[in-house]
Amino acid sequence: MTAAPRTIMLQSMQRPKRRRKASLRIWVPIGVIVLITLGAIIIPMLYNYDPLKSDLVSRLKPPGTTLPDGSVAIFGTGQIGADLFAEMMAGARVSLIIGAATLLIAGVIGVLIGLLAGYYGGWLDTVLMRVADIQLAFPAILLAILLASVLGQGVMNVIIVLSISNWVVFARVARSQMMSLKSREYVEAARTLGLSDGHIIFRTLLPGCLPPILVVATVELGHVILAEAALSFLGVGVPLGTPSLGNTISTGTQYLATAWWISTLPGILLVALVLATGILGDAIRDRFDPRLRSA
């Protein structure tokens, strides 16, 4: 057998393996995210979780303990006696809500700014991108801490802070895509037909910009959830009366020697959620743009 047919045969044998690997990289993180999302919605309701209810008799019980009411604390209990599993899922629900709302606000604002800057160019592009450069000069987490300290604690304030901190990423990606697409033949044809700038931007060019924006949104979801946990951990994010993975981890640091599970298990859940979004974003990037495919 000559070299060329052998190479073709080897490539044909490797294609199914690559497809299976690519499918696993997409469906496994999707499964993790969906499972956590469903748990965040259902588990607190099944457990009748109340973040303000305390049960001092059942506090700081290790995982697997049978409580006085006959229920089993799968992940143990916290410092006020609440079931840690329900507390984690309630915290995940808040984190996912903040993440989704932040991506919606930051995405809409950032994409709109990026589309306008990339399409019109000139002084508008210069002004908008210099504002973006100034913001990028500050570390995102430090900017978020500064804004959160000024606005105070609260779920809505955290969403505003993280939206201000993350719009630049969407603007940069949308501008880059717009600049690469606006000189294409079909755009020139749309101008020749007399279509308005709004129609060209939002009906002709925006669909071509969506794949990289989708990739950025997937990856940024993990970053936003991690940033929210960091703000809550530092005491400038979600108030203590509201369940949050960051608050639970922060509170558990006081009991690491005697109740390690209070910080460790929410930390594992947070890592799993952030890793799943990162892997999913990487896989979507490979699917939409093979030129950026990771090794």
Side-chain angles (χ1 to χ4, degrees):
M1 184 181 292
T2 60
R6 186 183 298 113
T7 302
I8 294 174
M9 184 177 67
L10 290 175
Q11 290 177 347
S12 63
M13 294 173 61
Q14 290 174 352
R15 285 194 194 102
K17 295 181 180 178
R18 290 175 180 172
R19 291 195 190 99
R20 286 195 295 269
K21 183 179 179 181
S23 297
L24 285 176
R25 289 180 62 208
I26 291 178
W27 290 111
V28 170
I30 286 178
V32 172
I33 295 171
V34 169
L35 189 63
I36 293 175
T37 303
L38 290 176
I41 296 172
I42 297 172
I43 297 301
M45 293 189 296
L46 292 179
Y47 279 74
N48 294 319
Y49 175 72
D50 181 359
L52 300 179
K53 182 181 179 181
S54 61
D55 183 4
L56 300 182
V57 176
S58 302
R59 67 189 299 267
L60 303 179
K61 300 297 183 181
T65 300
T66 300
L67 301 180
D69 60 1
S71 62
V72 177
I74 301 175
F75 289 169
T77 60
Q79 73 282 1
I80 63 172
D83 188 281
L84 185 61
F85 184 40
E87 184 175 349
M88 287 168 52
M89 291 297 103
R93 178 167 59 186
V94 172
S95 297
L96 289 169
I97 291 173
I98 290 175
T102 299
L103 290 185
L104 179 61
I105 297 173
V108 170
I109 294 174
V111 169
L112 180 60
I113 290 174
L115 292 178
L116 296 177
Y119 184 79
Y120 290 107
W123 67 268
L124 181 63
D125 179 40
T126 300
V127 171
L128 293 176
M129 289 304 103
R130 292 301 75 79
V131 172
D133 290 340
I134 292 172
Q135 180 166 326
L136 288 174
F138 295 93
I141 187 63
L142 293 183
L143 178 62
I145 293 173
L146 173 62
L147 294 173
S149 300
V150 173
L151 294 177
Q153 292 182 316
V155 173
M156 194 62 210
N157 288 346
V158 172
I159 293 173
I160 294 172
V161 166
L162 295 178
S163 298
I164 295 173
S165 302
N166 288 275
W167 71 268
V168 177
V169 180
F170 292 95
R172 284 288 190 181
V173 172
R175 173 182 178 271
S176 175
Q177 285 296 113
M178 176 62 76
M179 294 183 70
S180 66
L181 295 176
K182 70 178 183 179
S183 59
R184 299 287 178 88
E185 291 80 2
Y186 65 88
V187 180
E188 294 296 333
R191 292 195 185 98
T192 303
L193 292 173
L195 298 178
S196 65
D197 288 347
H199 188 283
I200 294 174
I201 292 172
F202 297 107
R203 299 291 296 274
T204 305
L205 289 169
L206 179 58
C209 300
L210 287 180
I213 292 173
L214 176 62
V215 174
V216 170
T218 306
V219 176
E220 283 299 304
L221 176 61
H223 293 168
V224 169
I225 291 173
L226 190 60
E228 180 275 322
L231 292 176
S232 298
F233 182 87
L234 295 173
V236 292
V238 176
L240 288 177
T242 304
S244 166
L245 293 177
N247 282 340
T248 304
I249 295 172
S250 176
T251 303
T253 57
Q254 305 173 31
Y255 304 96
L256 284 177
T258 56
W260 55 267
W261 54 89
I262 300 178
S263 285
T264 304
L265 297 180
I268 293 174
L269 177 64
L270 180 63
V271 169
L273 186 55
V274 173
L275 279 179
T277 56
I279 294 172
L280 179 60
D282 188 59
I284 294 176
R285 180 201 64 188
D286 292 350
R287 178 66 63 89
F288 283 125
D289 194 349
R291 295 172 300 174
L292 300 177
R293 182 167 293 157
S294 57

